[in-house]
Amino acid sequence: MSSRSFAEYRAMFAIDDRDLGGVILDCAGGASSFVAEARTAGARALAADPLYSQGAGAIADRLAADLTQGNAMIDANADRFVWTWYGSAERRREMRLAARSAFMADLRRHPGSYLATGLPHLPLADDSVDLVLCSHLLFTWAGRLDREWHRAAITEMSRVSRAEVRIFPLVRMGDGEPVGFLDALRADLRADGLVCAVRRVPYEFQRGADHMLAVGGHR
């Protein structure tokens, strides 16, 4: 359960000020501070993650262990990462701790902004949000979640979005290898009438992971 910051999200998803004018769904949000910091910036956002069903206390208990596990994975695959965006490992750690604190405070103050649900089924109406962001779930866990699951998940996110779905990154967790079914999945989405494009973003941590998949409405 990672604690990514608003600044990381803006870079990972190439978010500009116009994007912040609509309603944004962070799916799956984990312990990201995106919703909390978006609120501070005057934007409207909500997050969805099945882990929210555990409650604030249980989530707080697991965050320290998950941060340690994530750092261990990075250490074990050191050659797969670059530090240009963060500047240093210490800076990344500071950002994660600040994001974790902001997330926990916002979860307790505004629990209605955090939906205890997950893909491929979202309890939201059609076209109920403008932009959907999906960080480090699709493609990241391609070893466990297959092509058909990805297709169902993207179709569901597209259903609730009035504008666009943005997914980052497009490589697998840990080893940073490309996802073998990405091209076939894009063909599936086009067959479903969805418009999808791979776009470069101003962020790279896993080496070579500097692109997102943007999926728009039906053609």
Side-chain angles (χ1 to χ4, degrees), residues 2 7 9 36 43 50 57 78 82 112-113 126 140 153 162 170 186 195 211 219:
S2 298
Y9 269 54
V82 294
S113 295
D126 294 359
T140 295
R162 289 187 286 267
L170 306 183
R186 291 177 65 190
V195 179
H211 289 78
R219 293 179 291 186

Side-chain angles (χ1 to χ4, degrees), residues 6-7 9-22 24 34 41 43 131 133 164 166 199 201-202 212:
F6 186 79
Y9 269 54
R10 289 203 71 155
M12 290 188 300
F13 296 107
I15 295 171
D16 61 26
D17 290 344
R18 291 171 298 177
D19 295 323
L20 297 176
I24 305 172
F34 178 79
L131 178 63
L133 308 176
E164 194 168 68
R166 298 179 188 175
R199 300 180 192 158
V201 298
M212 69 175 176

Side-chain angles (χ1 to χ4, degrees), residues 26 74 143 210:
D26 181 7
I74 291 168
D210 57 355

Side-chain angles (χ1 to χ4, degrees), residues 12-90:
M12 290 188 300
F13 296 107
I15 295 171
D16 61 26
D17 290 344
R18 291 171 298 177
D19 295 323
L20 297 176
V23 180
I24 305 172
L25 172 65
D26 181 7
C27 179
S32 160
S33 64
F34 178 79
V35 170
E37 294 187 77
R39 189 191 314 281
T40 301
R44 296 168 293 167
L46 65 158
D49 198 304
L51 292 174
Y52 298 151
S53 66
Q54 297 179 7
I59 290 172
D61 289 341
R62 70 172 289 169
L63 281 178
D66 283 3
L67 180 61
T68 299
Q69 182 181 21
N71 288 338
M73 184 274 295
I74 291 168
D75 291 342
N77 297 274
D79 62 325
R80 298 281 184 170
F81 297 90
V82 294
W83 294 94
T84 305
W85 194 88
Y86 290 103
S88 68
E90 181 58 27

Side-chain angles (χ1 to χ4, degrees), residues 120-181:
H121 304 293
L122 298 172
L124 297 170
D126 294 359
D127 302 324
S128 54
V129 302
D130 293 287
L131 178 63
V132 180
L133 308 176
C134 185
S135 162
H136 295 82
L137 174 60
L138 275 73
F139 306 120
T140 295
W141 297 103
R144 302 183 187 180
L145 304 170
D146 64 14
R147 172 179 156 190
E148 285 305 312
W149 187 92
H150 279 68
R151 184 178 187 175
I154 294 172
T155 299
E156 180 71 347
M157 289 188 287
S158 298
R159 178 186 68 79
V160 306
S161 172
R162 289 187 286 267
E164 194 168 68
V165 177
R166 298 179 188 175
I167 302 163
F168 179 90
L170 306 183
V171 299
R172 298 187 317 210
M173 171 67 79
D175 61 18
E177 292 297 319
V179 175
F181 58 71

Side-chain angles (χ1 to χ4, degrees), residues 1-6 8 29-34 36-37 52 56 58-71 92-109 114:
M1 196 172 193
S2 298
S3 302
R4 294 183 173 88
S5 68
F6 186 79
E8 288 168 287
S32 160
S33 64
F34 178 79
E37 294 187 77
Y52 298 151
I59 290 172
D61 289 341
R62 70 172 289 169
L63 281 178
D66 283 3
L67 180 61
T68 299
Q69 182 181 21
N71 288 338
R92 177 181 176 275
R93 180 178 179 276
E94 290 171 356
M95 292 182 71
R96 292 299 169 88
L97 291 174
R100 182 172 73 180
S101 178
F103 161 76
M104 288 305 309
D106 199 62
L107 177 65
R108 290 187 168 105
R109 290 192 192 108
Y114 297 88

